[in-house]
Amino acid sequence: MERKKTLHDYLYENLKEQIQTGYYKYGEALPSMNQLCETYHVGIRTVRDVLSDLREQGMIRTEERRPAVIVYRKTGEGDLVPDILAVLQRKDSILAVYKTMEQLMPGMFALSVRVCGVETAMDHFKQLKKDRRKAVRVRWKSSSNALHHLLDASHNLLFRDIFTSLEIGSRIPFFLEPEYTPPFSFCCGEYDDPMWMAEAVSSGDTRVIRERFARMYRSLGHDIKRYLDWIESRIATGDIEQRNGYSWNSEQGHDHFYIQIARDLIDRIGLGIYKNGSFLPPEAVLAQEYGVSTATIRRSISMLNRLGFCHTYNVKGTQVTLFNDQATFQSMKNRIHKKDTLLYLSGLQFMALASAPAALLAVPYIGREEIGRMEEELTRPYAVPLSILMHHIIENLPLEPYQIILRQVSGILRWGYYYSFYQDGIRAGNELNQISHEAFRRLQTGDTEEFARLLSRCYCHALELVRDFMAAGGLSEAALLVTPSADG
């Protein structure tokens, strides 16, 4: 019940702020209920409850089988102050989101073009071409739609969600129009025509695409800062306490807890913590460890039995039955876990793109003492070298939105899946560990560029190993997740 309440509050507060600040104007329609479900990762019942609350607050009008319409509008300049303050409290967060987009989105767009081809990619910009001379708000939304469609063409299950979350976190108020037009002079000097993005895509050159989109987000961030500084100077409020305005949950609203527990147990089996032929702890012990009922543990173990990782005996308990990589194959090929497989591969592909720029940002904040701690952590039993390296990178990232995204994606990368391909689990000599340790040596010697490159290579290797095995086993969708190249 608490989780549903949190999802309700998240959607309600987000839509309410967008209505109050004029992102959705008086007389405009909200996205459909299905679109809201997809964008915010919530169920249809949550959306209905939120729309009902907004209707009772006098912000929207709803009709059967029609999108809700905005009926809220300002009556005078004094009504703007609370909304202005709400936005200015997110000023630092908004600017951090733009810097995060500058780091992440260029590689994602470049890879998407590489996957779908220039001709298909250009089809997504047709509406934007029609709207290229219209008002800023119209062009803004047309650009967003074009880029969402482009990311869908990548076949990565995370790209669209990450981009959507960043867009939500970066939205700025349009409620001062027409009194004031946002001063997008810097970015307009860079690309007065939004089709400037399409020109980069049409080149088919991943380096050009990455450079153009990085410049776009950099210049947008510059002008957004000017706009928010201008608003702040008008109301002369003094210091404004900042709060984080960005959040993202990679699996929000989609998971049952027993499935999460099953994944964690598979992880332990793959790592070799629970060895082949050994018995899992009793159900009561696992229930206490995970803080759930024995019935929930029983459902998790039942799933492991179906997938071939374990076999439960009436008296003895549950024995691990992991033989080579067959259990992993069954887990990822099973109908229930098919999406899990593709989500896992999507996470590896994303991290192959995101880990290197994250490392370049974080390394200056990692001192010799912390490197010493990392060296000690790498010697611990069942330590996953790549996971340790990424943990320290994430903790030292200066951009909170970037941290949130990497934490979430890292959370779905259960390394037991990878290590279960090896007879001795994590203790086996394998390429992932070798590359990870070489990356750490580069960090120790101060070779930051090579450290970042090797981190990306770790994720590329894991992606190729699992993807190729699954594709050969008949999961054709796995083959669509291509390995990122050095330039995306």
Side-chain angles (χ1 to χ4, degrees):
M1 291 300 294
E2 182 62 27
R3 183 166 177 78
K4 182 180 178 182
K5 181 176 183 293
T6 300
L7 292 172
H8 175 281
D9 291 348
Y10 170 64
L11 177 58
Y12 173 77
E13 291 168 7
N14 199 279
L15 290 179
K16 181 178 178 181
E17 181 174 302
Q18 291 179 62
I19 293 169
Q20 288 179 328
T21 58
Y23 186 83
Y24 293 116
K25 288 183 170 294
Y26 175 80
E28 286 186 346
L30 281 176
S32 69
M33 286 197 290
N34 286 336
Q35 289 172 323
L36 290 172
C37 289
E38 181 179 353
T39 299
Y40 291 92
H41 278 191
V42 297
I44 193 72
R45 187 171 181 177
T46 300
V47 172
R48 285 199 183 100
D49 290 345
V50 168
L51 294 182
S52 175
D53 289 348
L54 291 173
R55 183 180 65 245
E56 290 179 9
Q57 291 288 319
M59 292 192 167
I60 62 173
R61 180 182 71 248
T62 59
E63 296 181 30
E64 191 70 25
R65 298 183 181 179
R66 290 189 179 183
V69 175
I70 309 301
V71 295
Y72 172 89
R73 58 178 164 185
K74 302 295 182 184
T75 58
E77 185 172 344
D79 291 339
L80 295 174
V81 174
D83 300 334
I84 291 174
L85 288 173
V87 171
L88 293 179
Q89 285 179 326
R90 294 193 297 108
K91 177 182 175 183
D92 291 349
S93 178
I94 290 171
L95 298 178
V97 167
Y98 274 101
K99 290 178 181 177
T100 299
M101 294 173 95
E102 179 187 341
Q103 295 292 324
L104 289 179
M105 297 314 306
M108 293 161 66
F109 291 135
L111 182 65
S112 298
V113 175
R114 178 182 153 204
V115 170
C116 71
V118 171
E119 184 176 351
T120 299
M122 290 301 294
D123 285 343
H124 300 312
F125 289 88
K126 288 181 178 178
Q127 185 60 47
L128 179 59
K129 186 175 182 179
K130 296 177 182 177
D131 296 337
R132 65 199 298 184
R133 301 301 180 192
K134 294 183 179 179
V136 171
R137 294 176 71 257
V138 177
R139 299 204 307 269
W140 197 286
K141 291 182 179 180
S142 292
S143 297
S144 173
N145 289 335
L147 296 177
H148 273 95
H149 291 313
L150 179 59
L151 293 174
D152 285 340
S154 71
H155 304 291
N156 187 293
L157 301 186
L158 294 171
F159 281 6
R160 167 187 270 267
D161 283 351
I162 290 170
F163 182 48
T164 297
S165 72
L166 289 167
E167 279 199 317
I168 291 171
S170 68
R171 283 174 178 169
I172 60 169
F174 291 94
F175 53 78
L176 295 176
E177 294 181 50
E179 176 187 351
Y180 179 70
T181 301
F184 294 150
S185 58
F186 186 82
C187 61
C188 285
E190 293 276 307
Y191 56 98
D192 184 54
D193 188 336
M195 286 301 287
W196 181 88
M197 293 184 295
E199 290 174 10
V201 170
S202 68
S203 72
D205 186 325
T206 55
R207 291 183 183 274
V208 171
I209 295 169
R210 289 175 68 106
E211 190 277 331
R212 283 271 183 105
F213 277 101
R215 205 161 84 227
M216 179 184 78
Y217 286 114
R218 188 161 52 249
S219 57
L220 274 172
H222 176 277
D223 281 351
I224 296 300
K225 183 178 186 305
R226 289 182 60 209
Y227 178 40
L228 296 178
D229 286 347
W230 181 87
I231 295 174
E232 193 170 11
S233 68
R234 283 193 67 197
I235 60 176
T237 58
D239 292 335
I240 298 175
E241 183 178 353
Q242 292 294 304
R243 62 181 179 87
N244 179 41
Y246 177 78
S247 64
W248 180 59
N249 187 327
S250 61
E251 298 178 289
Q252 186 165 270
H254 290 305
D255 256 349
H256 295 292
F257 199 33
Y258 80 92
I259 295 177
Q260 296 178 30
I261 294 172
R263 289 177 186 161
D264 191 61
L265 292 173
I266 291 171
D267 201 34
R268 296 183 187 188
I269 292 169
L271 291 174
I273 297 172
Y274 299 140
K275 299 183 183 300
N276 184 42
S278 68
F279 283 82
L280 296 181
E283 291 177 356
V285 173
L286 290 173
Q288 183 176 9
E289 179 182 351
Y290 287 103
V292 298
S293 67
T294 54
T296 299
I297 294 297
R298 206 164 288 130
R299 291 188 72 185
S300 302
I301 291 176
S302 176
M303 178 175 291
L304 295 184
N305 285 332
R306 291 197 305 273
L307 297 175
F309 279 93
C310 298
H311 182 80
T312 300
Y313 299 92
N314 288 335
V315 178
K316 292 182 178 180
T318 300
Q319 185 178 32
V320 176
T321 56
L322 178 63
F323 296 103
N324 298 319
D325 49 23
Q326 289 307 305
T328 293
F329 175 76
Q330 283 299 113
S331 172
M332 293 185 174
K333 190 73 179 350
N334 182 276
R335 178 181 61 84
I336 298 174
H337 286 271
K338 181 177 179 180
K339 185 174 181 180
D340 252 14
T341 305
L342 297 176
L343 186 66
Y344 181 81
L345 294 172
S346 294
L348 291 172
Q349 186 188 57
F350 171 78
M351 293 299 286
L353 289 171
S355 57
L360 295 176
L361 285 174
V363 165
Y365 299 93
I366 301 177
R368 301 309 304 177
E369 183 178 342
E370 185 168 359
I371 291 176
R373 291 200 302 272
M374 294 167 69
E375 186 172 19
E376 186 275 327
E377 290 169 12
L378 289 168
T379 65
R380 295 175 183 173
Y382 303 108
V384 179
L386 180 56
S387 181
I388 290 170
L389 297 179
M390 280 309 304
H391 170 76
H392 285 272
I393 288 170
I394 292 169
E395 292 305 305
N396 285 280
L397 269 172
L399 298 173
E400 187 173 18
Y402 208 158
Q403 284 183 316
I404 292 171
I405 292 170
L406 292 189
R407 282 197 191 105
Q408 285 293 314
V409 178
S410 295
I412 65 176
L413 297 181
R414 300 292 188 176
W415 288 110
Y417 283 129
Y418 171 86
Y419 289 110
S420 66
F421 282 85
Y422 297 89
Q423 186 71 33
D424 296 325
I426 196 169
R427 297 183 183 278
N430 59 77
E431 191 172 346
L432 181 61
N433 285 4
Q434 293 168 7
I435 302 172
S436 299
H437 282 291
E438 177 59 27
F440 179 65
R441 285 190 287 271
R442 298 293 181 151
L443 176 63
Q444 288 177 306
T445 60
D447 190 349
T448 303
E449 293 284 343
E450 186 63 8
F451 170 63
R453 189 193 72 80
L454 287 171
L455 279 179
S456 177
R457 180 58 203 149
C458 284
Y459 289 104
C460 288
H461 161 71
L463 171 64
E464 291 167 348
L465 179 75
V466 180
R467 177 199 65 201
D468 294 350
F469 176 77
M470 297 310 300
L475 187 60
S476 58
E477 297 97 324
L480 299 174
L481 290 155
V482 303
T483 305
S485 60
D487 56 2

